[in-house]
PDB file of all heavy atoms in Angstrom:
ATOM      1  N   SER N 131       1.567  18.093   3.767  1.00 95.00           N
ATOM      2  CA  SER N 131       2.171  19.423   3.799  1.00 95.00           C
ATOM      3  C   SER N 131       1.344  20.371   4.665  1.00 95.00           C
ATOM      4  O   SER N 131       1.822  21.415   5.100  1.00 95.00           O
ATOM      5  CB  SER N 131       2.322  19.997   2.389  1.00 95.00           C
ATOM      6  OG  SER N 131       1.060  20.337   1.848  1.00 95.00           O
ATOM      7  N   LEU N 132       0.094  20.000   4.942  1.00 97.00           N
ATOM      8  CA  LEU N 132      -0.776  20.821   5.783  1.00 97.00           C
ATOM      9  C   LEU N 132      -0.449  20.679   7.271  1.00 97.00           C
ATOM     10  O   LEU N 132      -0.897  21.489   8.081  1.00 97.00           O
ATOM     11  CB  LEU N 132      -2.242  20.446   5.544  1.00 97.00           C
ATOM     12  CG  LEU N 132      -2.760  20.665   4.122  1.00 97.00           C
ATOM     13  CD1 LEU N 132      -4.162  20.082   3.975  1.00 97.00           C
ATOM     14  CD2 LEU N 132      -2.738  22.139   3.768  1.00 97.00           C
ATOM     15  N   LEU N 133       0.326  19.666   7.614  1.00 97.00           N
ATOM     16  CA  LEU N 133       0.698  19.458   9.018  1.00 97.00           C
ATOM     17  C   LEU N 133       1.652  20.546   9.469  1.00 97.00           C
ATOM     18  O   LEU N 133       2.562  20.937   8.740  1.00 97.00           O
ATOM     19  CB  LEU N 133       1.356  18.080   9.191  1.00 97.00           C
ATOM     20  CG  LEU N 133       0.478  16.871   8.875  1.00 97.00           C
ATOM     21  CD1 LEU N 133       1.321  15.594   8.874  1.00 97.00           C
ATOM     22  CD2 LEU N 133      -0.668  16.764   9.873  1.00 97.00           C
ATOM     23  N   ASP N 134       1.459  21.024  10.680  1.00 97.00           N
ATOM     24  CA  ASP N 134       2.311  22.066  11.248  1.00 97.00           C
ATOM     25  C   ASP N 134       3.086  21.454  12.405  1.00 97.00           C
ATOM     26  O   ASP N 134       2.561  21.303  13.506  1.00 97.00           O
ATOM     27  CB  ASP N 134       1.450  23.237  11.733  1.00 97.00           C
ATOM     28  CG  ASP N 134       2.281  24.381  12.279  1.00 97.00           C
ATOM     29  OD1 ASP N 134       3.498  24.449  11.975  1.00 97.00           O
ATOM     30  OD2 ASP N 134       1.719  25.203  13.023  1.00 97.00           O
ATOM     31  N   GLY N 135       4.324  21.075  12.120  1.00 97.00           N
ATOM     32  CA  GLY N 135       5.123  20.443  13.161  1.00 97.00           C
ATOM     33  C   GLY N 135       6.602  20.552  12.881  1.00 97.00           C
ATOM     34  O   GLY N 135       7.037  21.160  11.903  1.00 97.00           O
ATOM     35  N   ASP N 136       7.380  19.929  13.763  1.00 97.00           N
ATOM     36  CA  ASP N 136       8.828  20.031  13.690  1.00 97.00           C
ATOM     37  C   ASP N 136       9.476  18.926  12.866  1.00 97.00           C
ATOM     38  O   ASP N 136      10.538  19.125  12.284  1.00 97.00           O
ATOM     39  CB  ASP N 136       9.403  20.012  15.112  1.00 97.00           C
ATOM     40  CG  ASP N 136       8.873  21.174  15.923  1.00 97.00           C
ATOM     41  OD1 ASP N 136       9.181  22.320  15.560  1.00 97.00           O
ATOM     42  OD2 ASP N 136       8.130  20.936  16.897  1.00 97.00           O
ATOM     43  N   ILE N 137       8.850  17.740  12.851  1.00 98.00           N
ATOM     44  CA  ILE N 137       9.462  16.609  12.160  1.00 98.00           C
ATOM     45  C   ILE N 137       8.369  15.654  11.686  1.00 98.00           C
ATOM     46  O   ILE N 137       7.352  15.478  12.356  1.00 98.00           O
ATOM     47  CB  ILE N 137      10.489  15.900  13.082  1.00 98.00           C
ATOM     48  CG1 ILE N 137      11.318  14.869  12.335  1.00 98.00           C
ATOM     49  CG2 ILE N 137       9.824  15.323  14.315  1.00 98.00           C
ATOM     50  CD1 ILE N 137      12.554  14.394  13.119  1.00 98.00           C
ATOM     51  N   LEU N 138       8.597  15.059  10.509  1.00 98.00           N
ATOM     52  CA  LEU N 138       7.682  14.076   9.936  1.00 98.00           C
ATOM     53  C   LEU N 138       8.494  12.869   9.488  1.00 98.00           C
ATOM     54  O   LEU N 138       9.496  13.013   8.780  1.00 98.00           O
ATOM     55  CB  LEU N 138       6.926  14.670   8.737  1.00 98.00           C
ATOM     56  CG  LEU N 138       6.062  13.718   7.894  1.00 98.00           C
ATOM     57  CD1 LEU N 138       4.972  13.043   8.722  1.00 98.00           C
ATOM     58  CD2 LEU N 138       5.447  14.471   6.708  1.00 98.00           C
ATOM     59  N   PHE N 139       8.066  11.682   9.908  1.00 98.00           N
ATOM     60  CA  PHE N 139       8.710  10.410   9.559  1.00 98.00           C
ATOM     61  C   PHE N 139       7.742   9.632   8.674  1.00 98.00           C
ATOM     62  O   PHE N 139       6.649   9.284   9.111  1.00 98.00           O
ATOM     63  CB  PHE N 139       9.018   9.648  10.853  1.00 98.00           C
ATOM     64  CG  PHE N 139       9.829   8.392  10.710  1.00 98.00           C
ATOM     65  CD1 PHE N 139      10.650   8.143   9.621  1.00 98.00           C
ATOM     66  CD2 PHE N 139       9.782   7.441  11.722  1.00 98.00           C
ATOM     67  CE1 PHE N 139      11.392   6.980   9.529  1.00 98.00           C
ATOM     68  CE2 PHE N 139      10.535   6.276  11.652  1.00 98.00           C
ATOM     69  CZ  PHE N 139      11.337   6.043  10.549  1.00 98.00           C
ATOM     70  N   ASP N 140       8.143   9.356   7.434  1.00 97.00           N
ATOM     71  CA  ASP N 140       7.254   8.710   6.470  1.00 97.00           C
ATOM     72  C   ASP N 140       8.079   7.832   5.537  1.00 97.00           C
ATOM     73  O   ASP N 140       9.290   8.032   5.403  1.00 97.00           O
ATOM     74  CB  ASP N 140       6.501   9.781   5.665  1.00 97.00           C
ATOM     75  CG  ASP N 140       5.126   9.336   5.203  1.00 97.00           C
ATOM     76  OD1 ASP N 140       5.035   8.275   4.550  1.00 97.00           O
ATOM     77  OD2 ASP N 140       4.143  10.049   5.492  1.00 97.00           O
ATOM     78  N   ASP N 141       7.416   6.893   4.874  1.00 97.00           N
ATOM     79  CA  ASP N 141       8.095   6.053   3.889  1.00 97.00           C
ATOM     80  C   ASP N 141       7.769   6.474   2.456  1.00 97.00           C
ATOM     81  O   ASP N 141       8.388   6.000   1.516  1.00 97.00           O
ATOM     82  CB  ASP N 141       7.731   4.573   4.087  1.00 97.00           C
ATOM     83  CG  ASP N 141       6.246   4.331   3.935  1.00 97.00           C
ATOM     84  OD1 ASP N 141       5.454   5.063   4.571  1.00 97.00           O
ATOM     85  OD2 ASP N 141       5.861   3.415   3.186  1.00 97.00           O
ATOM     86  N   TYR N 142       6.801   7.348   2.292  1.00 96.00           N
ATOM     87  CA  TYR N 142       6.438   7.829   0.963  1.00 96.00           C
ATOM     88  C   TYR N 142       6.994   9.235   0.786  1.00 96.00           C
ATOM     89  O   TYR N 142       6.538  10.185   1.423  1.00 96.00           O
ATOM     90  CB  TYR N 142       4.926   7.797   0.772  1.00 96.00           C
ATOM     91  CG  TYR N 142       4.452   8.196  -0.608  1.00 96.00           C
ATOM     92  CD1 TYR N 142       5.145   7.807  -1.747  1.00 96.00           C
ATOM     93  CD2 TYR N 142       3.308   8.957  -0.775  1.00 96.00           C
ATOM     94  CE1 TYR N 142       4.711   8.160  -3.009  1.00 96.00           C
ATOM     95  CE2 TYR N 142       2.858   9.314  -2.035  1.00 96.00           C
ATOM     96  CZ  TYR N 142       3.566   8.915  -3.153  1.00 96.00           C
ATOM     97  OH  TYR N 142       3.135   9.281  -4.412  1.00 96.00           O
TER      98      TYR N 142
END
Side-chain angles (χ1 to χ4, degrees):
S131 71
L132 298 172
L133 297 171
D134 183 19
D136 300 295
I137 190 166
L138 172 59
F139 187 22
D140 210 306
D141 60 310
Y142 184 39

